Each structure stands twice: as structure tokens, then as C-alpha cells.
């Protein structure tokens, strides 16, 4: 009688209760094993992730997983793509014989040797090239040089490359990147085994000012596409110069500027800074350190990328506003270096103008402009 009062669905549940109880018993017995398997799986995933994070498996790197449009090149370049030899730290310098340095006997007292932000200023007589070479040869660095020979400036190629092959970073690996609108006019030249010349065609511009200002954009683009995989440091140099003395690894640093031979003794108010506030290259009155020459600057590949990208952005914004900086890309370079201090400064020895009389403090003329008729060569 009690069964007749039970709802139909309850009857079915009751009839199957025996089987359900057996299934529930079986599930309860299996549950601890399932939980153990899941725990083991989770622990395995955590352990694998830890191994990947510790050893830095390359195919799961953060950069590789980012969409191309979101890659921050400023962060990407903080670690250079070129592989670092971790064993180089343990290499010992060869035995060298050189005069002992003394803290109370400065090597030179006639010139400024340190900037207010503690960047060294490189002068003849302030360093030992033998010591520097012994250190840098172990680093196995590759240095790039970007230079432009457009229009009539092709006449300077042989003099520049020939003298640079002899005097620029002798004994170290150097890639010369020569941009020209006349590749067929580049003479055949024999270089030292550790030096290589790359000839890169580039378009011509009607005005020499445009050629000058677009160099920043070209350098920035090639760093992004090629050079960050090929060199550790990059320097931009004018083609219409020649080297007369060795320029070695004393120039190597993160961000390097060359003090202009025309303005190295002038007060900041007399320097050729762009002062018009409407220009992106403007340096406000009362600001400025040294006046830097655009004929020779450089540094690590990441820092030169930041510099050239920022400078060309300023050039582009000035064009959009119908203004051209006083000394073109050199004005933008000086603006950048006011707010991004160079880590090393090269004295006027490293770019001396032939029109100037060399004073006693400039003991060596390492690099100098070639005498020329600017009106004839530019137009």
C-alpha cells in the first residue's frame, strides 16, 4: 500500500537505487585515485614551467609570442640578439708592461677629462691603447660604420674607405655600410681580412639638406631590419673625411658624441643650437652642454636606434609644421644629447675641421674633413 502512494518517478528511482548505489560506491572508491592523478598533472605542469623559465627555452620567448605590431623595440633591444659567450668572463688578459697610474698624478691637466655627469672625454694621452685592445679583442665585438656617398660625394669614397681601413679599429672586426646612388662608381678596394664593405643602393634627393636629414631615417630602418643582427656597435661618419691617426676601441661606449672643433670653447649661448621654440630641435636658452658634430656619433646598436628614431621623428614633425632646423639633423642630434647624455665624449681630435688652426691642446688630428668647394659639391 505504501508503494502505491509513491510517485512514479520516485518508484523508478527506488527500483534503480541498487544499481545507483553500486555506481556511487565505485565512484567514491575511484575518487582518491582521480585526485591523485590531477595533482600529479598540475605538479608536472608547474615543474615544466619552472624549467622553461629557468633555462630560457628560446621557442617560447616573450618576444616570439607577441604580435608583430606590439613588439616594443626599445625593450627588445635591451638584450641584443647576438649571442653572448658566457665563458669570456673567465679569460685572462695577457701580461702587459705599462707605466703605473697614480691618482695624484693626472695624465693631463690642460683639458677637461670628465663631464659633469661622469662621462669620460677622450683625449690623446689619457688612455693606453694596448690595454684597451687586449680587453676588447676578447669580447669578439663587431662594429658597424654607416656612411653616405650621394651625388658628387662619390668622389670621397676611396679616400674615406682607404684611410678607415688603415686607421679605424685596426685589428678588430668592422662592417662598412656604404649608401650610394651610384654603386657602379664605387672603386675596387682591398680591405684587411677583419673588415668588410657592404654597398647599399639608396635614392637620390634634389636638395642636399634632404639627403642629410633622411640619413637618420635610413639608419633607423636598417638597424631594425638588418644591423641589430650583425653588429654590436654602430657609428655614423661623414664620407668627406679622412683618418690620419688611429681611432681605436677608446671610442666604444653606449652612447658617444663628438665635440665640435668649431665650438668647443664657446659658451652655450654662442653655440649653434636651434633656439626657435616652434622647432622640435629647439634647446631653450640657458640649456646645453657641448655642441656635438653630426659628422661622427654612435654607440650601442640599441641606443643608436633610439637616437636616430627620435631625431627623424623631430625632422618629420618640423616638416609638417613648415620649419627646418638651423643645422638640419645636427640640430636634432644636439637636442637629443642634451636630454639623453652621452656616456662617452670624443674630443675635437676625432673630427677636426681643416679650415681651423690646431691649438696646442689638440695634440693629434685623428680625423679631418676634406677641403672642398661646398657650392660645387652640393649643387
Amino acid at each position: 500500500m505504501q508503494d502505491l502512494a509513491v510517485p512514479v518517478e520516485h518508484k523508478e528511482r527506488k527500483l534503480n537505487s541498487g544499481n545507483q548505489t553500486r555506481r556511487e560506491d565505485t565512484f567514491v572508491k575511484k575518487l582518491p585515485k582521480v585526485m591523485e592523478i590531477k595533482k600529479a598533472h598540475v605538479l608536472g605542469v608547474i615543474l615544466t614551467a619552472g624549467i622553461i623559465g629557468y633555462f630560457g627555452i628560446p621557442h617560447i620567448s616573450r618576444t616570439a609570442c607577441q604580435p608583430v605590431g606590439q613588439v616594443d623595440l626599445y625593450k627588445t633591444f635591451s638584450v641584443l640578439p647576438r649571442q653572448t659567450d658566457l665563458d669570456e668572463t673567465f679569460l685572462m688578459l695577457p701580461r702587459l708592461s705599462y707605466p703605473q697610474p697614480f691618482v695624484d698624478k693626472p695624465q693631463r691637466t690642460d683639458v677637461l677629462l670628465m663631464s659633469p655627469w661622469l662621462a669620460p672625454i677622450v683625449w690623446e694621452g689619457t688612455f693606453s691603447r694596448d690595454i684597451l685592445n687586449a680587453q676588447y679583442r676578447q669580447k669578439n665585438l663587431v662594429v658597424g660604420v654607416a656612411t653616405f656617398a650621394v651625388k658628387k660625394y662619390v668622389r670621397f669614397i676611396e679616400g674615406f674607405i682607404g684611410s678607415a681601413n688603415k686607421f679605424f679599429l685596426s685589428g678588430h672586426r668592422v662592417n662598412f655600410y656604404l649608401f650610394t646612388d651610384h654603386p657602379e662608381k664605387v672603386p675596387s678596394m682591398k680591405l684587411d681580412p677583419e673588415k668588410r664593405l657592404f654597398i647599399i643602393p639608396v635614392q637620390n634627393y634634389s636638395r642636399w639638406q634632404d639627403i642629410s636629414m633622411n640619413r637618420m631615417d635610413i639608419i633607423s630602418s636598417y638597424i631594425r631590419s638588418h644591423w641589430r643582427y650583425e653588429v654590436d656597435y654602430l657609428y655614423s661618419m661623414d664620407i668627406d673625411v679622412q683618418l690620419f691617426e688611429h681611432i681605436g676601441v677608446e671610442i666604444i661606449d653606449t652612447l658617444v658624441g663628438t665635440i665640435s672643433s668649431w665650438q668647443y670653447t664657446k659658451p652655450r649661448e654662442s653655440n649653434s643650437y636651434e633656439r626657435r621654440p616652434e622647432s622640435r630641435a629647439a634647446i631653450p636658452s640657458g640649456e646645453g652642454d657641448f655642441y656635438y658634430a653630426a659628422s661622427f656619433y654612435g654607440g650601442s646598436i640599441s641606443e643608436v636606434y633610439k637616437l636616430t628614431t627620435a631625431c627623424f621623428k623631430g625632422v618629420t614633425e618640423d616638416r609638417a609644421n613648415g620649419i627646418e632646423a638651423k643645422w638640419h639633423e645636427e640640430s636634432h642630434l644636439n637636442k637629443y644629447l642634451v636630454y639623453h647624455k652621452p656616456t662617452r665624449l670624443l674630443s675635437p681630435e676625432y673630427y677636426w675641421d681643416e679650415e681651423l688652426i690646431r691649438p696646442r691642446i689638440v695634440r693629434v688630428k685623428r680625423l679631418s674633413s676634406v677641403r672642398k668647394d661646398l657650392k660645387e659639391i652640393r649643387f
Side-chain angles (χ1 to χ4, degrees), residues 88-236:
E88 70 178 0
T89 306
F90 301 100
L91 296 174
M92 293 181 63
L93 289 175
R95 294 177 65 90
L96 297 171
S97 177
Y98 53 88
Q100 179 185 349
F102 293 93
V103 295
D104 60 342
K105 296 178 181 178
Q107 294 166 310
R108 290 189 64 169
T109 58
D110 57 337
V111 290
L112 183 66
L113 301 180
M114 190 75 67
S115 73
W117 57 93
L118 298 182
I121 304 175
V122 184
W123 294 88
E124 173 68 12
T126 62
F127 60 90
S128 168
R129 183 164 284 113
D130 291 338
I131 298 175
L132 291 172
N133 280 334
Q135 288 180 305
Y136 278 88
R137 282 201 178 99
Q138 297 181 73
K139 297 179 182 294
N140 199 30
L141 301 175
V142 182
V143 176
V145 174
T147 189
F148 292 76
V150 180
K151 290 187 172 182
K152 297 178 182 179
Y153 278 80
V154 294
R155 70 180 65 170
F156 301 114
I157 293 175
E158 189 167 8
F160 172 75
I161 297 296
S163 64
N165 179 59
K166 181 178 180 181
F167 291 115
F168 189 81
L169 290 170
S170 180
H172 299 273
R173 293 196 292 166
V174 179
N175 289 352
F176 294 106
Y177 299 106
L178 172 63
F179 291 90
T180 180
D181 57 340
H182 292 292
E184 74 283 356
K185 293 184 179 180
V186 178
S188 178
M189 292 171 286
K190 185 177 180 180
L191 302 181
D192 292 342
E194 66 274 9
K195 293 183 169 68
R196 297 189 296 171
L197 174 62
F198 297 86
I199 301 170
I200 307 171
V202 67
Q203 81 172 84
N204 194 353
Y205 293 90
S206 57
R207 299 191 319 141
W208 69 267
Q209 294 94 334
D210 293 326
I211 296 170
S212 176
M213 288 190 290
N214 279 284
R215 290 190 300 185
M216 293 285 192
D217 182 41
I218 294 170
I219 290 173
S220 173
S221 298
Y222 269 84
I223 289 175
R224 183 172 179 170
S225 61
H226 293 84
W227 296 342
R228 59 176 167 149
Y229 305 110
E230 299 173 1
V231 301
D232 301 288
Y233 293 87
L234 181 71
Y235 291 82
S236 174

Side-chain angles (χ1 to χ4, degrees), residues 18 261 264 313 355:
S261 57
Y264 66 100
K313 181 180 179 183
E355 296 182 21

Side-chain angles (χ1 to χ4, degrees), residues 9 15 21 45 67 73-74 76 81 86 98 107 115 145 149 157 165 180 188 193 201 232 271 274-275 277 280 335:
E9 60 179 356
L15 290 172
T21 301
V45 171
L73 288 170
Y74 286 79
T76 304
L86 298 180
Y98 53 88
Q107 294 166 310
S115 73
V145 174
I157 293 175
N165 179 59
T180 180
S188 178
D232 301 288
N271 278 339
E274 174 58 73
R275 297 294 190 185
R280 294 294 295 170
K335 170 69 175 291

Side-chain angles (χ1 to χ4, degrees), residues 107-110 123-126 349 358-365:
Q107 294 166 310
R108 290 189 64 169
T109 58
D110 57 337
W123 294 88
E124 173 68 12
T126 62
E349 299 171 358
R358 187 154 52 98
R360 292 180 62 185
I361 62 171
V362 180
R363 298 179 181 176
V364 176
K365 181 179 68 175

Side-chain angles (χ1 to χ4, degrees), residues 195-305:
K195 293 183 169 68
R196 297 189 296 171
L197 174 62
F198 297 86
I199 301 170
I200 307 171
V202 67
Q203 81 172 84
N204 194 353
Y205 293 90
S206 57
R207 299 191 319 141
W208 69 267
Q209 294 94 334
D210 293 326
I211 296 170
S212 176
M213 288 190 290
N214 279 284
R215 290 190 300 185
M216 293 285 192
D217 182 41
I218 294 170
I219 290 173
S220 173
S221 298
Y222 269 84
I223 289 175
R224 183 172 179 170
S225 61
H226 293 84
W227 296 342
R228 59 176 167 149
Y229 305 110
E230 299 173 1
V231 301
D232 301 288
Y233 293 87
L234 181 71
Y235 291 82
S236 174
M237 300 177 72
D238 280 352
I239 193 72
D240 56 336
V241 301
Q242 286 194 23
L243 285 71
F244 297 96
E245 294 287 345
H246 285 286
I247 295 177
V249 293
E250 73 274 6
I251 70 170
I252 301 295
D253 214 318
T254 306
L255 184 59
V256 181
T258 302
I259 299 172
S260 169
S261 57
W262 278 95
Q263 305 183 57
Y264 66 100
T265 59
K266 290 184 178 181
R268 59 165 62 117
E269 296 304 328
S270 299
N271 278 339
S272 297
Y273 297 135
E274 174 58 73
R275 297 294 190 185
R276 293 172 296 172
E278 56 268 30
S279 172
R280 294 294 295 170
I283 297 174
S285 179
E287 296 186 28
D289 304 305
F290 305 95
Y291 189 86
Y292 302 100
S295 303
F296 188 13
Y297 66 89
S300 69
I301 198 73
S302 58
E303 289 301 317
V304 177
Y305 176 80

